[in-house]
Amino acid sequence: MAAVHKILDDFYEDPYELVALHSSLEDYELVYFINLHLKSKFKRCVEDLQLSPGVSFPIFEWKDEQNDRYWSLVTNNSVLETNVQEIGLFEGEPSFTTHHLVPEHKEVDYFLKVEEDNLDIEKDLLKPLQRVPKVITAYAINTDKLKSKNNLIFL
């Protein structure tokens, strides 16, 4: 007889806060300014998040051991370039397809995930992030309503 294993949807999940960031900066520029203004130490991970072949999302992380927090910053957009094999006006021109880590929030440029139990999101995250130059806005995301929250498990 073969054993049957079931995976329950209500698996244990570390508590975390998710913040949406809007900025026109490239990811490395945004990380530089966040590190400068929040006195954080984000570093780029060696490997990007791969959702499917050719679709990757750069991840920056910081283990804040003083406050026992784990921070992750990831871009929400990934652009995949393909060559179109058409004859005519657009012959040989590349085609670009944009993929989103969290498709429900296509307008968001970056997500900041902070794993912490007792975090005052307004005081500890949103206000300092809104003071960073070139950050247009920052706001909390309710993760209970996200359909694609499994994409954030890696963080």
Side-chain angles (χ1 to χ4, degrees), residues 50-69:
Q50 294 279 100
L51 284 188
S52 62
V55 179
S56 64
F57 300 89
I59 305 168
F60 296 83
E61 66 180 359
W62 171 41
K63 294 175 184 169
D64 181 7
E65 294 181 14
Q66 182 180 5
N67 297 311
D68 193 30
R69 293 179 183 156

Side-chain angles (χ1 to χ4, degrees), residues 11 15-16 32 45 47 71 80 107 115 134 151:
F11 59 90
Y16 66 91
Y32 172 79
C45 291
E47 293 188 25
W71 301 62
L80 178 65
E107 71 284 354
E115 294 178 14
K134 304 288 184 172
N151 292 350

Side-chain angles (χ1 to χ4, degrees), residues 30-43 61-64 71 73 112 129 132:
L30 179 63
V31 167
Y32 172 79
F33 284 113
I34 289 174
N35 283 344
L36 187 66
H37 292 278
L38 272 63
K39 307 297 185 234
S40 57
K41 295 179 180 152
F42 280 97
K43 292 185 180 178
E61 66 180 359
W62 171 41
K63 294 175 184 169
D64 181 7
W71 301 62
L73 179 80
L112 179 65
L129 285 169
V132 173

